[in-house]
């Protein structure tokens, strides 16, 4: 845990969030600034700054999160599919420096392509 990290505080329950799922590896909660009908953040319990800080110890965790995404999407009723976004570093638009995956879907999601969703 990083003491000055917003998402570590949410994971620890020190700051409230609208949680939709949690287990020993991750916490999933609603993004405070919804960019689509469904906009969730998949956040590992471990404080990892971004994709840049991953090493081979995280391979299992990353695979776990990838496989969790469609399960969460299905629970949210996203039968037609969903979008995932990982912003990395200031140049990638990352503003919270605790690795997280945006899961977006439903009404409000723009069409195919790389329009900036989040
Ligand atoms: P990123 O640009 O990928 O670092 O995105 C960080 C996301 O965290 C943004 O979409 C914010 O809306 C979201 N966010 C910031 N503070 C909170 C919070 N307290 N609870 C839920 N989501 C938050
Ligand atoms: Zn953190």
């Amino acid at each position: 845990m990083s003491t000055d990290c917003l998402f570590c505080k949410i994971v620890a329950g020190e700051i409230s969030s609208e949680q939709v799922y949690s287990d020993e590896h991750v916490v999933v909660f609603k993004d405070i600034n919804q960019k689509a009908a469904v906009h969730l953040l998949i956040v590992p319990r471990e404080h990892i700054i971004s994709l840049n800080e991953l090493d081979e110890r995280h391979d299992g965790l990353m695979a776990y999160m990838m496989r969790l995404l469609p399960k969460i999407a299905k629970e949210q009723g996203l039968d037609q599919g969903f979008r995932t976004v990982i912003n990395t570093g200031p140049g990638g638009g990352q503003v919270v420096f605790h690795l997280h995956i945006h899961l977006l879907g439903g009404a409000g999601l723009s069409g195919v392509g790389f329009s900036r969703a989040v």
Side-chain angles (χ1 to χ4, degrees), residues 1-2 5-9 46-48 97-98:
M1 162 139 184
S2 169
C5 170
L6 174 64
F7 285 177
C8 279
K9 287 178 181 163
E46 179 181 348
H47 179 78
I48 304 163
F97 291 92
H98 179 133

Side-chain angles (χ1 to χ4, degrees), residues 39-85:
H39 185 178
L40 302 175
L41 300 173
I42 289 75
V43 179
R45 288 185 178 275
E46 179 181 348
H47 179 78
I48 304 163
I49 296 170
S50 78
L51 291 181
N52 284 329
E53 282 70 30
L54 289 175
D55 62 44
E56 62 195 23
R57 285 180 303 120
H58 302 114
D59 288 354
L61 173 65
M62 295 307 290
Y64 180 81
M65 290 198 290
M66 290 299 119
R67 293 213 309 118
L68 182 63
L69 287 163
K71 295 178 193 167
I72 302 277
K74 194 173 175 195
E75 277 176 17
Q76 296 289 318
L78 299 176
D79 301 329
Q80 299 301 308
F82 58 92
R83 179 175 298 169
T84 47
V85 175

Side-chain angles (χ1 to χ4, degrees), residues 7 10 17-20 27-31 39-41 43:
F7 285 177
I10 289 178
S17 67
E18 281 196 67
Q19 238 179 69
V20 302
V27 176
V28 180
F29 53 88
K30 290 188 182 178
D31 194 296
H39 185 178
L40 302 175
L41 300 173
V43 179

Side-chain angles (χ1 to χ4, degrees), residues 6-7 10 15 29-33 39 41 87 93-96 100 102:
L6 174 64
F7 285 177
I10 289 178
I15 291 178
F29 53 88
K30 290 188 182 178
D31 194 296
I32 206 165
N33 183 14
H39 185 178
L41 300 173
N87 296 321
Q94 187 176 10
V95 297
V96 177
H100 53 280
H102 295 259

